[in-house]
Amino acid sequence: MDLSPTGTSAPRPTPVPPFDPELSVALESLGNGPRAPVTPENLAARQERDAATRPRPTAEDLRADGRFEVTELSVPALRDGPDVTLVSVRPAGREGPLPLLYYMHGGAMIMGNAWSVLPRIQREWVLPLDMCVISVEYRLAPQTRYPGPLEDCYAGLLWATEHAAELGIDTDRVIIGGKSAGGGLAAALALLVRDRGVPDVLGQLLLCPMLDDRGHTFSSHQMSGLGMWDLISNETAWKALLGDRHCAADVPPYAAPARATDLSGLPPAFIDVGSAEMFRDEDVAYANAIWRAGGQAELHVWPGAYHGFDGLAPQAAISKDARDARTRWLRRLLTHSRSTEPRPAG
């Protein structure tokens, strides 16, 4: 135990990995306002502010002077609930079926929208990889608790694959993905698809995924409040989603994928996370659990990166490296899928 100069005991401060220098500058320039914790008391106000300020490009904006075909779809829920909105984007003038990235936005399950994430996806993946993307507008917590948001995502995915011919989708090359809360939803959706048996999924793209409601990892305490997300905000978000079931022993893996005890039979995963963020240890553990179950996962831990680093500092060298790694994985997965025999239907 350390002793202070006066001889009294004092806790030893926990060392933390340093931020990447470029990312540190971007974080400091942001100020403290956007990094203030989300609490149950300010959650409604934060949601209102997010809805008012987060970009929400129109379909005409997303068409980008005719380079893309954009369609907003309303598809039926599988269970009780309103129709689910999907935003479909594909390269203009492309005939025939294309691979699909079925994408879920971030926002801690309490914020965000399906439109804001699309411009970057269009620029980085839709055109370079000649694929289409569908972004799902799932319902947010606490207005809709688990399993509502996940069921929205599953209903949209099932509808899209069942209507693949009219949407121009290659059902042998469907990848599900998302970032942060969307990455957690993508991981949960992969488990749900495996257990329900349909539809077939080629891979899962999990970007700094939000996987564990318990907040008990070393990194969740080590890095709390030092980057873009902290334990208070994380607990607020999980309680909004799970209500009284938060941290209960019986939380299902479809709600918090870190709870899964069986990760066998999942599609190949790409998982990336920062070394200097709260989700580091739960994401590394998830990749390890996939390997232990005999599955395939590509894991990147970006040194000195905090949560959402590539969005806050897109021009930083490490942000460019992260985007390149994701693109290479997608390209490799799609290329390999073309070189293999067609998989049996169902």
Side-chain angles (χ1 to χ4, degrees), residues 315-336:
Q315 299 306 314
I318 198 167
S319 299
K320 295 176 182 178
D321 288 347
R323 293 197 299 272
D324 287 346
R326 299 162 189 168
T327 301
R328 287 196 299 270
W329 180 82
L330 285 167
R331 182 179 289 113
R332 188 166 63 248
L333 189 66
L334 295 173
T335 300
H336 289 174

Side-chain angles (χ1 to χ4, degrees), residues 219-250:
S219 63
S220 67
H221 292 265
Q222 179 192 35
M223 301 309 304
S224 178
L226 297 179
M228 291 297 297
W229 197 239
D230 68 357
L231 272 174
I232 296 173
S233 301
N234 205 47
E235 182 176 287
T236 299
W238 278 111
K239 284 183 176 178
L241 179 67
L242 299 176
D244 292 339
R245 300 182 72 181
H246 174 243
C247 286
D250 62 347

Side-chain angles (χ1 to χ4, degrees), residues 42-54 110-111 140 143:
N42 69 23
L43 174 56
R46 294 289 289 269
Q47 287 182 310
E48 290 177 7
R49 187 174 74 186
D50 181 78
T53 60
R54 188 181 295 263
I110 53 178
M111 292 180 279
L140 301 178
Q143 293 80 5

